Amino acid sequence: MKIDLYERVWMWGVGVMLALFFGSLANASIRHGFHPPSHVETIDPKKVFQNPLFSRQGVTVDAGGAVHVSVVGMMFAWLPGEMVLPAETPVTFHMTTVDVIHGFQIVRTNGQSMVIPGYVSQFTTSFKPGDYLIACNEYCGVGHHTMASKLKVVPKGSWQQPGALTSTAGVADAAR
């Protein structure tokens, strides 16, 4: 079988690139222990509000001083509807949903995650002071466009640690 010179060059080039790609993946995984993030926490979507992590949505501070935010997505609201966080502080978001797949996105930041029924999504990020919109970026039904929440980030010195901040403003907005 005659293969043109250029075809052979492309085939060898692709073969070399694939070998480098899979070799670097194997090296990162085996030698350095890098693995992609995965869903390791599961939750019964029917019992979300009975789970200690999500029974009170909002901002909490653990014994070590780390800031955590528990968020529940539901058609067509994020709970809580409003949050206040400190600037320049790592904040860990824990999210789940009780109904369908939602996309949690903090607009103008790198904070974004899929929120899937039965799983707890988590990411950690920090913010600069300002007001941010939290939107659903995954179509979830006819009221999808109303699914939003507010995030206010204040300078660390003026932030007050809440016990747990809860608000149903998102539910009220979705009901309009």
Side-chain angles (χ1 to χ4, degrees), residues 78 95 103-113 115 123 133-138 149:
W78 294 112
M95 300 151 292
F104 183 87
Q105 179 181 12
I106 305 170
V107 179
R108 297 184 301 127
T109 71
N110 63 351
Q112 176 172 293
S113 180
V115 184
F123 68 86
L133 171 68
I134 298 174
C136 179
N137 63 10
E138 181 74 29
S149 182

Side-chain angles (χ1 to χ4, degrees), residues 46-125:
K46 295 176 183 171
K47 297 180 180 176
V48 166
F49 295 109
Q50 297 164 358
N51 184 296
L53 182 60
F54 296 105
S55 63
R56 295 179 65 185
Q57 306 83 41
V59 182
T60 58
V61 179
D62 67 16
V67 180
H68 297 267
V69 177
S70 297
V71 177
V72 175
M74 56 194 310
M75 293 194 296
F76 301 99
W78 294 112
L79 298 176
E82 295 181 19
M83 295 177 268
V84 179
L85 295 174
E88 311 297 338
T89 302
V91 177
T92 302
F93 287 82
H94 308 270
M95 300 151 292
T96 192
T97 177
V98 296
D99 43 37
V100 298
I101 296 175
H102 298 283
F104 183 87
Q105 179 181 12
I106 305 170
V107 179
R108 297 184 301 127
T109 71
N110 63 351
Q112 176 172 293
S113 180
M114 293 295 293
V115 184
I116 301 169
Y119 292 95
V120 177
S121 300
Q122 178 180 313
F123 68 86
T124 301
T125 190

